[in-house]
Structure formats: structure tokens, C-alpha cells
Amino acid sequence: MLRIEDLTLAIECAEPYVFDFKIFFTMSRLDLVIFGATGFTGKHAVMECARIAKKNPSLTWGIAGRSQSKLDALLEEASKETGVDLSAIPVMLADVGDEDSLRAMCQRAKVLVNCCGPYRLYGEPVVSAAVRCGAHYVDVSGEPQFLESMQLRYDSAARDAGVFVICACGFDSIPNDMGVVFLQQNFDGTLNSVESYLSTELPPQYQAAARRGGVINYGTWASLVYGLANYHELKTLRKQLFPDRLPALKPKLEKKRCVHFRDGRWCVPFPGSDASVVFRTQRRSRARPVQFRAYLRLPGAWAAPLVWFCALALYLLARCGPGRRWLLSRPRLCSLGLVGRGGLERPVTENTRFGFALHGAGWPQGVDPDSELPTKTLTAKVSGSNPGYGATVVALLHSALTILDERDKMPERGGVVTTGFAFGNTGLVRRLNENGLRFEIVEE
């Protein structure tokens, strides 16, 4: 049945076009539209979406990007890869520099899946179009400046439109953000703090291939460089986003030393966006906020000075124009071979394993948190394979599907929100457990 609000939305999103009622009555929204489909992450998302649709034929989806020929070639490649006939999948042309094309694309989607990064450069026009046209939005951004500025600029408009804008739905930051929520739900008491330790592993037989082609895609490298270049923006953004400080929580979770030893491995602070995302989730929580720190486990003591030297050099180079241009033009040299520009070798990505150990501390049920120091501990583990692109697109697409299937279990109003806040009461963790991203409580 045609609703007046649907007609009004369609007319608004069609501006400045002449509105065609015949097109409107025959056109319905697709469940998902994958934008940036021919990029590195986008291709993986298309392959995974084809596999999901094979099991769920009622799912309607389409792809979008700048080049018709590349989009057509991608569908042909994905058909061969997955054994699914994708010839009828809708193809849309859209460009971040063309507002009209973005709005036309978003008008076709219930959930817009944005794989076009770096998001600092290309993300905001897509968010703006999605909110204006009443489409939910998910992406895999790991850029704190983008994440926090989108909440500052579009939260109110998204809530008014009744749509969700949920960034960081990939490796950044589903494992840690949903991992903390999962730990809270299983703690049976009051959780005060969580320390997360990330470890990765690539079997020896694939390490030669990793040296040839790298282990990090160029888009991820570019996002890191731009993030470091504009790191100074975060302090101002956070003052605007959260003008009122949280009450001091006791005992305070202190930051560990730059290099420390735990569980048989040397560890350093992990500089990703996870801490930002978890903080925003906990800030909006009605319960006592959980304090959070993230760390990276190193392969040996020798790696610690190398990591710190490279991190400092990368930061200093990214902060100046000539250094930034050099980093972006010579990624393989500047990353010591970690970044591949022509596409990573498949055996490397598929055989890379990862695990997050989330160590929680707090108080048992019935104990007043203000009366004594924490006496209860519990550890959750989140693990999987192919962290950058396999687990990432699985988490991304199942986040989108959760919006479609479990909207009634999500916050009543929309807004620019985090995964933990949006999906805390849904079955997202169960979905991920069924699709290769494992959440479990483990013995300490």
C-alpha cells in the first residue's frame, strides 16, 4: 500500500528531477545496495552477499559504483566464483562527486552498504544522501575523525528520519565493541573494565606470499595516513560531541606501559579506532560505563622497538604534506612490505587468523561497586580468519541484515550510533557465530 510519507520522501529525493509517478509506482526499494562494489572491500562484499542470497532467495540487492563496465564484469566474476546467476542483479551508477546520483542510489535502498573509502575523503556525501532519502547506512570505517564527526553532524537528522547510520561494522570495530557487550551480558554482575589483546597468526608456508604481495590493502593504508595527519582534530571533536565529562569511575583502568608482558607475549597499545567506538557505546549505555583499553600482542621482544620506531616515523611523516605524499606514493617501501597495492594474494588473506582476548574485571551480582575493589574476572574471546576482508564483510553484511530483520530489537529511534549500542539486544552475535566469527567465554 502506498503511504503518503513514502510519496513525500520520493518526491524530495527526486529533486531536482521531474518526478515520474509511473516510475515511483513500479519501483520498490532493494533490501541492500553495495556502493563502491568494484573496490577491494566491495568485491569481497559482493561475493559474500551472493553466497548469503543463495541461502536466502528472498533477499533483494544491487550494486553501485562509477563504471558500468567494471560493475558488469564484477557480477560476471562473482557468478563464476559463487555459482550463483547474478545476471538479474540491479546495477546503479553513482559517484561521490555527483549528489544527484547518490540520492538516486539511496532512494533504491533500504540499507546502503558503503565500501567506498577512505571515508574521510568520500564518506560524508554518502551519509548525507542516505539520511536525506531515508535509507539506513552501514560501513567499515576505522577512522575516528570520520566516525565522531558523522555523529556530531548527522545524529539529529538521522533520528528525525528514523534511520540508522552505523559505521565501523567490520574488523574495526565489531570484535571489540560487540565483544565488550557480549562480556557484559555474560558477566552476571557489574563489569568495571576490559583490556583487549589482539593477536594474529599466518602459517609459515604462506609467509613468502605475504612478503611478495603484502598483508594490508592500499585503501586501509591511505585511511591510516590521513587519520594520523589529522589526529589533532579529535580533541576538538570530542569536546563538541561530549561537552559533559563522565563521573570518575573507580578503580580507574590505568594505561599500561608502552611495552609490557602478558600471557607469554610482549604487548603494546593498539592505535585503532576500537577505543573510540567502545567509549561511544558505553557513553550512551544506561548501565555503569565500562572502561576499555586495547593492546596488540607482538611476535617477540625484538618487534617492540621496531613497532615504536615505525609508528613514530609514520606519525611525523603523515603530519607534513611532502611526507604524506611520499607515504601514499610509496606504500610498499614505507610499510616495510606490509602494504600491497595490486590486490593481496588470496592464500595470505584466507589463512590469516586473528583472536581478541577481552579480559574483564568487576564485581559479582549483589556486591556494591563502591564498597570494595573488583573481585570477579571473566574473559571473552573473539576469533576468526581473514580479518581485513573476510571477517570484515561478514560482519558488515550481517549488520545490515540485522537492521532489516530485527529493527524492533534495536533502539526505538535511529541516529548515528555504534554497533554495540545498535545491536546489543539483537541476535547479531549469534549470526556471526554461525558465519565464522566466533564469540565465546573462555577459562582464564
Side-chain angles (χ1 to χ4, degrees), residues 73-89:
L74 172 61
L75 287 181
E76 185 176 347
E77 179 187 350
S79 293
K80 293 177 181 177
E81 174 79 19
T82 62
V84 179
D85 181 8
L86 302 178
S87 59
I89 296 298

Side-chain angles (χ1 to χ4, degrees), residues 23-73:
I23 292 176
F24 175 72
F25 278 107
T26 58
M27 182 181 67
S28 60
R29 289 189 184 236
L30 302 167
D31 292 328
L32 308 177
V33 172
I34 301 172
F35 177 54
T38 58
F40 193 80
T41 302
K43 286 182 179 179
H44 284 79
V46 170
M47 299 292 182
E48 185 63 26
C49 196
R51 296 185 187 99
I52 292 172
K54 187 176 183 178
K55 299 176 184 177
N56 180 14
S58 64
L59 180 71
T60 59
W61 62 288
I63 63 173
R66 293 183 297 173
S67 169
Q68 181 78 45
S69 60
K70 289 183 178 180
L71 291 166
D72 291 341

Side-chain angles (χ1 to χ4, degrees), residues 75 136 183 186 189 201 307-308 368 371 374 391-392 395:
L75 287 181
H136 300 294
L183 196 53
N186 287 275
E201 180 184 1
V307 166
W308 279 108
D368 181 1
S371 65
T392 280

Side-chain angles (χ1 to χ4, degrees), residues 100-317:
D100 292 339
S101 71
L102 293 179
R103 292 169 64 190
M105 172 185 67
C106 291
Q107 189 181 351
R108 295 292 313 277
K110 294 178 183 176
V111 183
L112 195 284
V113 180
N114 185 14
C115 297
C116 186
Y119 293 92
R120 176 185 179 83
L121 301 181
Y122 308 122
E124 184 169 0
V126 188
V127 171
S128 177
V131 171
R132 184 167 182 182
C133 291
H136 300 294
Y137 169 101
V138 294
D139 71 27
V140 293
S141 172
E143 305 162 40
Q145 295 97 325
F146 174 75
L147 304 177
E148 297 182 22
S149 62
M150 290 305 96
Q151 183 174 338
L152 187 63
R153 295 171 191 169
Y154 293 98
D155 184 52
S156 179
R159 283 188 279 114
D160 289 343
V163 299
F164 286 102
V165 174
I166 311 174
C167 304
C169 294
F171 188 70
D172 294 317
S173 294
I174 286 275
N176 268 326
D177 196 27
M178 292 302 297
V180 171
V181 172
F182 176 71
L183 196 53
Q184 282 180 291
Q185 293 171 341
N186 287 275
F187 196 75
D188 192 26
T190 302
L191 184 61
N192 176 64
S193 62
V194 174
E195 293 178 312
S196 169
Y197 287 82
L198 167 63
S199 58
T200 60
E201 180 184 1
L202 179 65
Q205 62 267 35
Y206 302 107
Q207 292 177 6
R211 288 191 291 271
R212 283 195 308 268
V215 295
I216 301 172
N217 185 50
Y218 178 78
T220 303
W221 172 256
S223 296
L224 173 62
V225 171
Y226 285 118
L228 290 174
N230 299 280
Y231 184 77
H232 61 283
E233 296 175 352
L234 279 174
K235 186 174 182 180
T236 301
L237 271 174
R238 287 169 180 169
K239 282 185 177 180
Q240 293 176 303
L241 194 57
F242 304 113
D244 300 322
R245 295 175 64 90
L246 281 172
L249 297 173
K250 296 182 180 180
K252 182 179 179 181
L253 179 61
E254 301 291 348
K255 185 184 296 185
K256 285 185 165 52
R257 292 176 296 179
C258 294
V259 181
H260 64 277
F261 196 73
R262 177 158 188 169
D263 298 334
R265 299 274 290 273
W266 290 98
C267 308
V268 296
F270 183 60
S273 61
D274 294 356
S276 165
V277 174
V278 172
F279 174 79
R280 288 166 55 221
T281 294
Q282 296 301 318
R283 180 86 190 206
R284 298 184 85 151
S285 173
R286 295 180 182 177
R288 187 180 196 269
V290 175
Q291 302 172 82
F292 178 82
R293 301 282 186 189
Y295 300 96
L296 174 66
R297 286 177 174 160
L298 301 176
W302 57 268
L306 179 62
V307 166
W308 279 108
F309 173 79
C310 292
L312 178 60
L314 180 60
Y315 175 75
L316 293 175
L317 287 169

